[in-house]
Amino acid sequence: MKKVGIIMGSASDMPIVKKGIDMLDSLSIPYEVHVYSAHRTPVEAAEFTKNAKANGFGVIIAAAGMAAHLAGAVAANTTLPVIGIPCKSSNLDGLDALLSTVQMPTGIPVATVAIDGAGNAALLAAQILALSDAELDARLVAKREADAKKVLEKDAEIAAEYNR
């Protein structure tokens, strides 16, 4: 199975990224996590990205706040799918990161999830990898079914208490 590369622009993004890591763990998807800044360590970020395909990665998730240039910088150096996680900062509540992540120029696409949306980034990465992995696809189907079951159980609880 291909791995997911997870890059964050700062170690302070780890609490957000951890939700995605937990999701990948729950689906038994291998990954590597690194801190590479598009601005402070551009050489290292580019080297990781340029070699990602040869090193067994199938998708890269890039999490960054503020200017959030990381996902675009990563996407510029690979044809692998890149998923950007805009991270909330104290300045503009993540709107700056969202706009920076989603506004990529034609030819350098970055899939973008919600602000602090690491869980969905991991699920999107899993769906991309599942296109060529039937076992992973089955795990995703099972997760969807389990999630639906939880919602219906909560519905039954609420209906029993409040429906008259």
Side-chain angles (χ1 to χ4, degrees):
M1 173 185 294
K2 301 261 183 204
K3 299 181 285 186
V4 175
I6 302 171
I7 305 172
M8 59 190 122
S10 169
S12 65
D13 298 326
M14 191 63 194
I16 294 161
V17 169
K18 180 74 168 86
K19 295 172 188 170
I21 291 169
D22 292 344
M23 185 67 68
L24 294 172
D25 281 337
S26 75
L27 293 166
S28 301
I29 298 173
Y31 54 84
E32 284 185 22
V33 183
H34 297 279
V35 178
Y36 295 133
S37 168
H39 301 107
R40 294 179 298 266
T41 59
V43 172
E44 291 80 1
E47 284 302 311
F48 175 84
T49 305
K50 288 175 183 176
N51 295 309
K53 194 180 289 187
N55 288 330
F57 292 93
V59 181
I60 299 174
I61 296 172
M66 300 176 74
H69 182 62
L70 184 60
V74 166
N77 286 300
T78 187
T79 56
L80 289 175
V82 175
I83 303 166
I85 305 171
C87 297
K88 189 181 290 189
S89 66
S90 60
N91 298 335
L92 298 173
D93 270 348
L95 183 58
D96 49 349
L98 175 63
L99 294 174
S100 294
T101 305
V102 77
Q103 293 292 347
M104 291 297 107
T106 300
I108 308 295
V110 171
T112 307
V113 296
I115 296 168
D116 293 349
N120 270 350
L123 285 170
L124 181 55
Q127 289 173 324
I128 292 167
L129 295 177
L131 290 171
S132 60
D133 187 324
E135 290 178 16
L136 177 55
D137 187 59
R139 291 195 299 273
L140 283 168
V141 169
K143 181 188 180 346
R144 287 267 179 109
E145 291 170 354
D147 290 349
K149 182 179 176 185
K150 288 177 189 174
V151 170
L152 294 174
E153 288 170 354
K154 289 297 178 185
D155 172 64
E157 289 175 22
I158 289 172
E161 184 173 345
Y162 293 102
N163 292 354
R164 307 268 186 254

